Amino acid sequence: MINGNGSADAGEPIAEALRLLDLFASVGAEAFDITHTNLQQEKRGFRPAQSLAQARQSMPYLVPSAARRQNNLIVRPRAGDGVTLVQLDDLAPDALARIAPAAFLILRTSPRGQQAWVAVTNAPRGFAARLKEGTGADKEASGATRVAGTANFKPAYAPNFPRILIDAAQPGLRVTTQTLDAMGVVAPARPVPAASPSAVASSGELRTRKWPSYARCLEGAPLGPGGNPKRTSADFIWCKIALSWGHGIEATADRLLEESAKARENGEAYARQTAEHADYAARQRNALPRG
């Protein structure tokens, strides 16, 4: 636990933070976005695309600073080509047990919250969404996590803020889509429905060249712990609407980078993943029987 003044009761928080970075690097992470948020989950700092060396050099300063200021220290690992890092957040105990053999990292983010990270080689488009569905994980998890050894600063946990812990690790573990399929943790692929006349004009052009209002999506997004709209949810909702209007995944991802500050900070991979997850969610809904 971290007490109310932000200091650690015991342990080696800097060593744990470095261990977390090394675990991500062992499966192919080549860069890290580093974000600071305060107790109300408001952003207080951002360092994009830090190399492993840069991130490691920063941790001895950032970890104690975060504790003093009661700031959350968050990293988003960026993997190289051929590797997809999938964050499986808010897992139920049985789901965690099923995915654990394939996870290179299991983090405890709160007394009752755990998340698993899986490094998948040569994953096709939409596979991450299917893995999230198959394990019952949070479909909107953005691929960023609090740093091990630091505190989870949320008002609900005051004054004894829980420390982020590495519960299990298998350095260098990468798995194939075939392995995950055989484990029974992947939802079945949904057939891509034919485009309806309402979505695409007879000439093959878009139903509309307009884009949804991002401001309205942000207004309608659920509120986070600090009382502000969750931008991850707003991005997801915006992509679902854009896709329903006939825009393609690539065009939607490109436009999201223009509309969303969060997407610009997190980069093309985040925008593409959000658009793909929104597309998968829409196809899943369309595949349900009508009645």
Side-chain angles (χ1 to χ4, degrees), residues 6 36 59-71 153:
H36 310 262
M59 287 301 143
Y61 306 98
L62 296 181
V63 171
S65 175
R68 287 194 305 271
R69 299 179 180 183
Q70 291 196 342
N71 278 350
F153 286 113

Side-chain angles (χ1 to χ4, degrees), residues 7-27:
S7 62
D9 294 330
E12 298 287 344
I14 295 175
E16 282 294 276
L18 295 175
R19 183 185 176 202
L20 180 75
L21 295 177
D22 290 342
L23 282 167
F24 281 124
S26 75
V27 294

